[in-house]
Amino acid sequence: MRSEIHPSGQGDRSFVENARRAQIIDCAIDAIAELGYANASLAEIARRAGISKGVISYHFAGKRELIGEIIGAILKKATAVMLPRMKAERSAAGMLRAYIETNLDFLGANPNCIHAIMKIGAATRDEADQPKTDYELAFQPAVRDLEKLLRFGQQQGEFRDFSTRVMAATIRSAIDGVAFQLEANSKLDLKAYANELVILFDLATRKAAK
Amino acid sequence: MRSEIHPSGQGDRSFVENARRAQIIDCAIDAIAELGYANASLAEIARRAGISKGVISYHFAGKRELIGEIIGAILKKATAVMLPRMKAERSAAGMLRAYIETNLDFLGANPNCIHAIMKIGAATRDEADQPKTDYELAFQPAVRDLEKLLRFGQQQGEFRDFSTRVMAATIRSAIDGVAFQLEANSKLDLKAYANELVILFDLATRKAAK
Amino acid sequence: MRSEIHPSGQGDRSFVENARRAQIIDCAIDAIAELGYANASLAEIARRAGISKGVISYHFAGKRELIGEIIGAILKKATAVMLPRMKAERSAAGMLRAYIETNLDFLGANPNCIHAIMKIGAATRDEADQPKTDYELAFQPAVRDLEKLLRFGQQQGEFRDFSTRVMAATIRSAIDGVAFQLEANSKLDLKAYANELVILFDLATRKAAK
Amino acid sequence: MRSEIHPSGQGDRSFVENARRAQIIDCAIDAIAELGYANASLAEIARRAGISKGVISYHFAGKRELIGEIIGAILKKATAVMLPRMKAERSAAGMLRAYIETNLDFLGANPNCIHAIMKIGAATRDEADQPKTDYELAFQPAVRDLEKLLRFGQQQGEFRDFSTRVMAATIRSAIDGVAFQLEANSKLDLKAYANELVILFDLATRKAAK
DNA sequence: GATGAATGAGTTTTCATTCAT
DNA sequence: AATGAATGAAAACTCATTCAT
C-alpha cells in the first residue's frame, strides 16, 4: 500500500532523517487514505511505521507540519510526473489532453496519494484557526496553471470563447471526481476513462468548425 | 444561518419530537458547514440549538444516525426543488440544462447544506468501521438518475455516443466543485456559472450536426 | 488534609456544581501542597477526589481556570478570617499586630492553603504565555493594603519615617517565610513566632521615644 | 545573560569536562531564570548551549544532579563574594549590615542566579520522591550561619534578647523577597533598599539604650 | 422529554532518558 | 566525547455516550 514518496527534503537534513520523514509521510498517506483523516491519529501512523509515537513528534513540529509535508510531497511527485509530458506538447489541445491523461495516470499509480489529499482537503478546510489551509494554498496554483493553459488556447484560436475559470474548475473537479470513483471501484479502467474525458473536454473547448 | 430543513420523520414520531429532530439537524448542518466536520462536536451542535448535549443522544441513536438524517433531509429538500423543474422539460438536453440550473440554484439558496454534505462525504467516506457510508448509499442513486437521463438522450438521438458513467460523474463533479468555489468566494455569480456549464455540457453531449 | 474551602461560586451555578467545584479545589490544594505544583496533575487531583479526569475538565475550562479558582478561594477565606480582627483595632501598631497574628493563625489552621499558594506562585511566575500571573494579580493588592496601613501609621505619627514599600515587602516576606518553615517542621509554635514578629516589627516601625 | 559560574568540579575531572559542565550549568541557570523551572527542559538548555541533548545526560547523571550542581555553584559563588566582607567586620551589628549589603549586591550583580535558585527552591521543595531536596540541604546551613551571627551579637551584648531562629528566618526571607521584587521591577534601587533593611534590622535587633 | 453530570477512551504533545554510532 | 535518533510514560484536553433525576 506504500506510495513511496520521498520528498528529498532540503539539504540541511541528514540522510537518515530524510528517510524517516519520508517513511512517516508514506505511512500517514496510507493511514489517511484508508481510515479517513479523523481516524489517522499519530498513534495509528506510528503503528504502521513500526515506531513509537514520539518519533513523529521528534521529526515534525506537530501534526500540522506533517500534513503540510504530505501535501508538499504529493504535489512534488505529481508535478514530476506531469511536467515533462505537458512540455512535450505544442498545441493547447494537446496539452489539455496530456494534462488529463497524466493526471489519471498518476491517480492510477498513486491512488492513496489522491485519496489522502482529498480527505485532508475536506477535513481541514476552514478550521477555526487557519483562514487558508495548506491544502488550498497548494492547489490554487494548480488550477491557475490550468487556467493559463486554457487562455493560451483561446489566444491561439484553438479554443472557443468560454470562462477559463469555470472550465478550469470543471476539468479539475472532473479529475478529482475520478478519485472518488476509484475508491469505490478499484478496477476502474482509467485509460478508457481518460479517453472519454479527453473527448468530452475537447468538444467543450474547441472552436466550432466554420 | 439556519437552513430550515425539516425531514418530517416517519409517521410514528410525535410532533414535538419531529420538531426537535429538525432543529438539531438544522444546527448540525450549520455547525458542520461553518466549522468543518471534525470540529462539529455534539457539544457545539447542542450549544447552537440552545439545548443540552444529552438531548441529541436522546433523539438520535448516535452521531452516525444524526449524520444519516442530515443527508436524508438535504436530499429530500434538494429533490423537492429539482424534480418539478426537471419534469417540465421534454428534451434530454432541456432536462440536462434544468438539472444543472436547479442544482446551482439550490447551491445558491442553501450553501450551508451543500458545504455540510460535502464535508460529511469526504470525512465519513470509508471510515474504518463502516463499509458503505450513508453518504454513498444516498448519493449513488443521484448519479444513477443522471445516468438514466443521459442514456435517454442517447436513445432519443439527441446525445452522441459517450460513456454515460463518465459523463454523469463529470457533471456531478462539476456541480460539486462549484460548492468549494462558493465557499472561497461567496459572491460568485451562479447564474453566469450555470450558463457556462450548460453550454459546456451541451457541446460535450450533443450529436455533431451532419 | 482537606482544607474545606468552599468558594461559594457566583449565583448562576447549581448547588451540585458548586459542591463539585469546591471538592475539586480542595483536592487540588492538597495535591499541590503535598506533591508540588508540577506533580499535581489533573489525574492525581481526580484520583484524590475519587472521580474521573474528565470531571475536572467538565467543571473547569482548563488547568489555568482551576488554579485561578484556587487562588480566589484561598484569598476569600483568608480575607474572611483577617478582616474582622483588623477592623477591631484602632491604632496603626495594633492593626499591624493584628495583621501578623491573623496571618499566622490562618497559616496554622490552613497550612496546605499556604503551601499550595506559594508553590503556585513559584511555578507559574512568568511562564511564557502569561505576562502577569493570577498569583501576582491576586497578591499585589495584599501588599498594597499593607503599605496603606504603614502610611497611615506614619501620618498618625505612630511610625517613624521609612520606605513603606520596603517595610511592607519585608513583613509580607517574613510571613511567607513562616510557611516554608512550617513545611519543614509542622510542630512550630506559631503563637510564640507571632509574638517575636510583632515585637520585631514594632521596634522596626515605631517612632523613637524623644 | 550568562552568569559565568564555574563550579570547578572536584579534581578527578578533566579540564574539558569541567568546562562543559560549567557551560551547561550557566545555560541552565539562564533558562530557569528566564522561563521558569517547569519550562527549562533539557532540550531548551541544550539549545542555549548549542549542544545536543545527549551531552547533558552524558555529563550529569540526571536532571537532579544538574540541579544540585547549579545550587552548589551559586552557593559557592555567593560565599566567595560575601565571606571576605563579613570577615572585615568586627561588631555583630557591622556583620549583620555586611550580610544584608553583600546579599543585595550579589542579587544586583547576579539576578539570574537568584531567580533560578528561588524557582528551583519552590519547584523542588518536597517533591514526591525526595524527602529532603538538595535545595534545603544547601540552604539550611546558610540560615544556621546567620543564626550563629545573631547569637554572637546577643552574647556580646550588642543585640537584645530575641529568638535567633525567628530573626534569622525573617532576615533571610526579607532578602529573598527582594529577588521577587527585582524580577517585577529590574530598575529597583538596591543600594537604597539595602539601607532601609539595614536600619530596619538594626532597630529590630539592637539593645535598647538604657 | 429533558437535563446536568459523569465517564473513559482517545487525541496531540512534551520530556527525561537511553543508546548505537 | 558527542551526537542524533528513538523511546515511552505522562501531561492536558476533547468528545460521544450513558444515566439518574
Side-chain angles (χ1 to χ4, degrees):
Chain A
M1 273 283 176
R2 283 297 170 65
S3 307
E4 279 179 51
I5 275 189
H6 303 282
S8 66
Q10 278 57 36
D12 59 347
R13 268 194 266 271
S14 78
F15 171 75
V16 177
E17 175 155 22
N18 277 329
R20 258 283 181 262
R21 286 174 66 98
Q23 181 205 11
I24 293 169
I25 288 172
D26 282 356
C27 292
I29 289 171
D30 293 348
I32 293 171
E34 288 166 30
L35 308 176
Y37 183 82
N39 293 39
S41 67
L42 294 189
E44 170 62 23
I45 294 167
R47 197 191 57 73
R48 283 165 178 255
I51 56 179
S52 109
K53 261 187 304 177
V55 182
I56 299 177
S57 295
Y58 178 75
H59 287 285
F60 298 90
K63 199 176 189 186
R64 191 107 118 235
E65 194 201 316
L66 174 56
I67 299 301
E69 294 292 295
I70 289 172
I71 293 169
I74 294 175
L75 225 54
K76 192 172 214 166
K77 186 170 187 184
T79 307
V81 171
M82 289 171 54
L83 219 60
R85 276 172 61 181
M86 297 282 291
K87 280 193 175 154
E89 298 291 332
R90 288 276 71 98
S91 69
M95 285 163 75
L96 181 52
R97 177 169 29 80
Y99 184 86
I100 293 170
E101 287 175 353
T102 52
N103 261 287
L104 265 66
D105 278 0
F106 184 76
L107 225 84
N110 308 88
N112 273 3
C113 286
I114 301 299
H115 297 158
I117 218 162
M118 303 217 69
K119 282 166 190 180
I120 291 171
T124 63
R125 194 171 292 268
D126 79 345
E127 279 184 357
D129 45 354
Q130 45 189 40
K132 281 282 174 189
T133 62
D134 300 323
Y135 174 83
E136 278 167 13
L137 291 175
F139 276 87
Q140 274 175 0
V143 178
R144 208 161 294 158
D145 284 347
L146 192 49
E147 238 184 298
K148 262 191 234 162
L149 160 56
L150 296 171
R151 249 193 315 267
F152 169 73
Q154 289 178 331
Q155 283 157 8
Q156 297 293 309
E158 286 184 65
F159 291 165
R160 69 176 175 90
D161 193 39
F162 50 73
S163 157
T164 53
R165 232 43 233 251
V166 171
M167 187 64 73
T170 303
I171 294 167
R172 196 58 248 166
S173 296
I175 292 167
D176 290 345
V178 182
F180 286 118
Q181 291 171 259
L182 196 61
E183 214 165 10
N185 169 22
S186 60
K187 292 183 292 288
L188 197 66
D189 180 349
L190 287 171
K191 282 270 175 264
Y193 205 113
N195 280 339
E196 286 282 337
L197 284 185
V198 165
I199 295 169
L200 193 166
F201 286 109
D202 184 53
L203 289 167
T205 52
R206 77 171 166 207
K207 199 157 215 161
K210 248 189 314 221
Chain B
M1 273 287 175
R2 286 294 172 65
S3 308
E4 280 180 50
I5 275 187
H6 303 283
S8 68
Q10 276 57 35
D12 59 347
R13 270 195 265 272
S14 80
F15 171 75
V16 176
E17 177 155 17
N18 277 329
R20 260 279 183 263
R21 286 171 67 96
Q23 180 204 12
I24 292 168
I25 288 171
D26 282 356
C27 292
I29 288 171
D30 293 347
I32 293 170
E34 288 167 27
L35 306 177
Y37 184 82
N39 294 30
S41 65
L42 293 192
E44 171 63 22
I45 294 166
R47 197 190 58 73
R48 283 165 180 256
I51 57 179
S52 112
K53 262 189 304 178
V55 183
I56 299 178
S57 295
Y58 180 79
H59 285 287
F60 298 90
K63 201 178 187 184
R64 187 108 114 240
E65 194 203 319
L66 173 57
I67 298 300
E69 293 294 294
I70 288 172
I71 293 168
I74 293 175
L75 224 55
K76 190 171 215 166
K77 184 171 188 184
T79 308
V81 170
M82 289 171 54
L83 220 60
R85 276 173 62 180
M86 296 284 292
K87 281 191 176 157
E89 297 291 332
R90 288 278 72 95
S91 69
M95 285 164 76
L96 180 53
R97 177 168 30 80
Y99 183 86
I100 294 169
E101 286 176 352
T102 53
N103 261 287
L104 265 66
D105 278 0
F106 186 75
L107 224 85
N110 308 88
N112 271 4
C113 287
I114 302 299
H115 296 159
I117 216 160
M118 302 220 67
K119 283 165 190 179
I120 291 170
T124 64
R125 192 175 296 268
D126 79 348
E127 279 186 357
D129 45 356
Q130 47 190 41
K132 279 282 176 187
T133 64
D134 302 321
Y135 175 83
E136 276 165 17
L137 292 174
F139 275 86
Q140 274 173 2
V143 178
R144 209 161 296 157
D145 284 347
L146 191 50
E147 241 184 295
K148 265 190 230 160
L149 159 57
L150 295 171
R151 248 190 319 264
F152 170 73
Q154 289 178 331
Q155 283 156 8
Q156 295 295 310
E158 286 183 67
F159 291 163
R160 68 177 176 91
D161 193 39
F162 49 74
S163 157
T164 53
R165 267 273 334 257
V166 172
M167 187 63 73
T170 303
I171 294 168
R172 197 56 249 166
S173 295
I175 292 167
D176 290 346
V178 182
F180 285 119
Q181 291 172 260
L182 197 60
E183 213 166 11
N185 168 23
S186 60
K187 291 184 291 287
L188 199 67
D189 180 348
L190 288 170
K191 284 270 174 265
Y193 205 112
N195 281 339
E196 287 281 338
L197 284 185
V198 166
I199 294 169
L200 194 165
F201 285 108
D202 184 53
L203 289 167
T205 53
R206 78 172 165 206
K207 198 156 214 161
K210 245 185 324 210
Chain C
M1 276 284 177
R2 282 296 170 66
S3 308
E4 278 180 48
I5 274 189
H6 302 281
S8 68
Q10 277 57 36
D12 59 347
R13 268 194 266 271
S14 79
F15 171 75
V16 177
E17 176 154 21
N18 276 330
R20 259 281 181 265
R21 286 173 66 98
Q23 180 205 12
I24 292 168
I25 289 172
D26 281 356
C27 292
I29 289 171
D30 293 348
I32 294 171
E34 289 167 28
L35 307 176
Y37 183 83
N39 292 41
S41 66
L42 295 190
E44 170 62 23
I45 294 167
R47 197 189 59 71
R48 282 163 179 257
I51 56 179
S52 110
K53 260 187 307 175
V55 182
I56 299 178
S57 294
Y58 177 76
H59 287 286
F60 298 90
K63 200 178 188 183
R64 192 107 117 233
E65 194 202 316
L66 174 56
I67 298 301
E69 294 291 296
I70 289 172
I71 293 168
I74 294 175
L75 225 53
K76 193 172 212 165
K77 186 170 187 184
T79 307
V81 170
M82 290 172 54
L83 219 58
R85 277 173 59 183
M86 297 282 292
K87 280 191 177 156
E89 298 290 333
R90 289 276 71 96
S91 69
M95 285 164 76
L96 181 53
R97 177 170 29 81
Y99 183 87
I100 293 170
E101 286 174 354
T102 52
N103 261 287
L104 264 64
D105 278 0
F106 185 76
L107 224 84
N110 308 89
N112 272 2
C113 285
I114 301 300
H115 297 158
I117 217 163
M118 302 218 67
K119 282 167 189 180
I120 291 170
T124 64
R125 193 173 294 268
D126 80 345
E127 277 185 356
D129 44 354
Q130 46 189 39
K132 280 282 173 190
T133 63
D134 301 322
Y135 174 82
E136 276 166 16
L137 291 175
F139 276 86
Q140 274 174 359
V143 178
R144 210 161 295 157
D145 284 347
L146 193 49
E147 239 183 298
K148 263 191 235 161
L149 159 56
L150 296 171
R151 250 193 313 269
F152 169 72
Q154 289 179 329
Q155 283 157 8
Q156 296 294 309
E158 287 183 64
F159 291 164
R160 68 176 176 91
D161 192 40
F162 49 73
S163 157
T164 54
R165 264 253 6 242
V166 171
M167 187 62 73
T170 303
I171 294 167
R172 197 57 248 167
S173 296
I175 293 167
D176 290 344
V178 181
F180 285 118
Q181 290 171 258
L182 197 60
E183 214 165 10
N185 169 22
S186 59
K187 290 183 291 292
L188 199 65
D189 179 349
L190 288 171
K191 283 270 174 264
Y193 205 113
N195 281 339
E196 286 283 339
L197 284 185
V198 165
I199 295 169
L200 193 166
F201 285 108
D202 183 51
L203 288 168
T205 52
R206 77 169 166 211
K207 198 158 217 162
K210 247 187 313 212
Chain D
M1 274 285 176
R2 284 297 172 64
S3 309
E4 279 179 48
I5 276 187
H6 303 282
S8 69
Q10 276 56 35
D12 59 348
R13 271 195 264 272
S14 79
F15 172 76
V16 177
E17 178 156 18
N18 277 330
R20 260 278 183 265
R21 286 172 67 96
Q23 180 204 11
I24 292 168
I25 289 171
D26 281 357
C27 292
I29 288 170
D30 292 348
I32 293 170
E34 288 167 28
L35 307 176
Y37 184 81
N39 293 30
S41 65
L42 293 192
E44 171 62 23
I45 294 167
R47 199 190 56 72
R48 283 166 179 256
I51 57 178
S52 113
K53 261 189 304 177
V55 183
I56 299 177
S57 296
Y58 180 78
H59 285 287
F60 298 91
K63 203 181 186 182
R64 187 107 113 238
E65 194 202 319
L66 173 57
I67 298 300
E69 293 293 295
I70 289 172
I71 293 169
I74 294 175
L75 224 54
K76 191 170 215 167
K77 184 171 189 183
T79 308
V81 170
M82 288 170 56
L83 220 57
R85 276 173 61 181
M86 297 283 291
K87 281 189 175 158
E89 297 290 334
R90 289 276 72 96
S91 68
M95 284 165 76
L96 180 53
R97 175 168 31 81
Y99 183 86
I100 293 170
E101 285 175 354
T102 53
N103 262 286
L104 265 65
D105 278 359
F106 186 74
L107 223 85
N110 307 89
N112 272 3
C113 286
I114 302 299
H115 297 160
I117 216 160
M118 301 221 67
K119 283 166 188 179
I120 291 171
T124 64
R125 192 175 295 268
D126 80 348
E127 280 186 356
D129 45 355
Q130 47 190 42
K132 279 283 175 189
T133 64
D134 302 321
Y135 176 83
E136 276 166 18
L137 293 174
F139 276 86
Q140 274 173 2
V143 179
R144 209 160 295 157
D145 284 346
L146 192 49
E147 239 183 296
K148 265 190 232 161
L149 158 57
L150 295 171
R151 248 189 321 264
F152 170 73
Q154 289 177 331
Q155 285 156 6
Q156 296 294 309
E158 287 183 65
F159 291 164
R160 67 176 176 93
D161 192 39
F162 49 74
S163 156
T164 53
R165 210 56 223 274
V166 171
M167 186 63 74
T170 303
I171 293 168
R172 198 56 249 167
S173 295
I175 292 167
D176 290 346
V178 182
F180 285 119
Q181 290 170 260
L182 197 60
E183 214 166 9
N185 169 22
S186 60
K187 291 184 291 289
L188 198 66
D189 180 348
L190 288 171
K191 283 270 176 267
Y193 205 112
N195 280 340
E196 287 281 338
L197 284 185
V198 165
I199 294 169
L200 194 166
F201 285 108
D202 185 52
L203 290 167
T205 52
R206 77 171 166 206
K207 198 158 216 161
K210 251 192 312 228

